[in-house]
Amino acid sequence: MRVLVTGGAGYIGSHTLLELLAQGHEVCVLDNYANAAPDVLDRVRALSNRPLRDETGDVRDRSRLDKIMDDFAPEAVIHFAGLKAVGESGTNPLGYYDVNINGTLTLLQAMQRADCKRIIFSSSATVYGEPQYLPYDEAHPLNPMSVYGRTKLMAEQILTDWAAAQPDRATVLLRYFNPVGAHPSADLGEDPRDTPNNLMPLIAQVATGKREALQVYGDDYDTPDGTGLRDYIHVVDLARAHLAALSYAATQSGARPFNIGTGQNYSVREMVQAFEKASGRKIPTINSPRRDGDVAAMQADARRANRELGWQATHGLDDMAASTWAWQTKNHNG
Ligand code: NAD
Ligand code: UFG
């Protein structure tokens, strides 16, 4: 299939490109490099040994999109491009609504003009908000607690309405849990521009000595060791979920959300231990107050994705930690 991948130079996008190319898809990337290294696509080309088209541009640029649609004529779009820092979304709400909502609207308008009918969207488990029950299934109430989460929910709604307007359109909403890890080559991984927001890159920076200690945000949660529980998913498993979603969208219509997680969760302390094992280094920690907006625990009920997409996570915690460490040590600025 010809697939346009917005945000394909980013963390999850770059891993997905490799899976798409390995399966023989023709791929074109649109990225403005707001949060990606300029050489990522060269690494993807080298690893895959396959041609890859790329366009440097903004997903809000309608004329650019129209041109790509005319030249490349994608049969499906995977839409990763967006801003994703929860804290920053509260201080820059208009910036987040602009990129995440206007970006999605502009993309859909260009797709509609070009009669492209299938889209896979990067949504997030954050759309659920405070758990009413766990694991979250896709029917759990949606009540995001941040501007970022609300942009994801609004985009889901727009995509759902778009799909409903014509009988042959398909939208797959992938609600990712906590992506971690790196490609086994250690040539692709998470490369945060500024101070990382997420646990794994922060732990990795403590292991390399870039940071003195990890702040553990809350050790008094109602969890077995008092620290937050999350459903961490290896980025290669997550990338493969997009291939499964693409096959699904080729035969189905309408909009459907899927949880993409492992169904298991681990505490902050368990993540630290796994990383100490993988790196052979001690990770000093400091107990700190709870972080605003954090929930005690998250966990996916991923059975719908198992059943309907035929997808299942296969990488475990040791692999998540070991691949992050390999990436971090091979790419000192990564
Ligand atoms: P990332 O920042 O590494 O990738 C996003 C990519 O989009 C980057 O390459 C960036 O340069 C590009 N981009 C940003 N704004 C753009 C614009 N206006 N036009 C064109 N390109 C633009 O992030 P990621 O972790 O790979 O996340 C990909 C998607 O998945 C995002 O939509 C994110 O919200 C969503 N998501 C991520 C997580 C996570 O924890 N990583 C969890 C749930 C959902
Ligand atoms: N944590 C610490 N110390 C840190 C960073 C994080 O203790 O320095 C803890 C958090 O309190 C939480 C856990 O580690 O218990 C995971 O935190 P992350 O910031 O890595 O991830 P979140 O679950 O807060 O959020 C992530 C993404 C969101 C996404 C959400 C659900 O950042 O974009 O997962 O998918 F919406």
Side-chain angles (χ1 to χ4, degrees), residues 10-12 31-32 34-35 58-59 80 84 123 148 152 176 179:
Y11 172 46
I12 304 166
D31 202 299
N32 68 356
N35 194 36
D58 198 295
V59 76
F80 293 107
K84 63 167 184 174
S123 189
Y148 167 70
K152 288 292 173 190
Y176 311 157

Side-chain angles (χ1 to χ4, degrees), residues 124-126 128 134-137 175-180 199-200 228-235 237-238 259-268 270-271 295-303 306 311 313-317 320:
S124 166
T126 201
Y128 295 119
L134 284 176
Y136 296 111
D137 56 24
R175 293 179 179 157
Y176 311 157
F177 280 68
N178 288 55
V180 295
L199 181 65
M200 267 299 228
L229 294 169
R230 293 291 182 275
D231 187 330
Y232 296 94
I233 173 161
H234 196 292
V235 66
D237 280 328
L238 178 54
N259 286 338
I260 304 297
T262 64
Q264 269 191 297
N265 58 18
Y266 294 104
S267 72
V268 175
E270 287 173 308
M271 296 305 283
V295 299
M298 291 178 90
Q299 189 178 357
D301 177 340
R303 286 176 300 176
N306 303 160
W311 170 89
T314 60
H315 294 72
L317 180 58
M320 298 180 202

Side-chain angles (χ1 to χ4, degrees), residues 1 3 5 17 20-21 25-29 51-53 72:
M1 222 187 266
V3 186
V5 181
L17 294 179
L20 287 165
L21 294 168
H25 293 285
E26 251 182 90
V27 183
C28 177
V29 173
L52 172 66
R53 292 172 69 138
F72 182 64

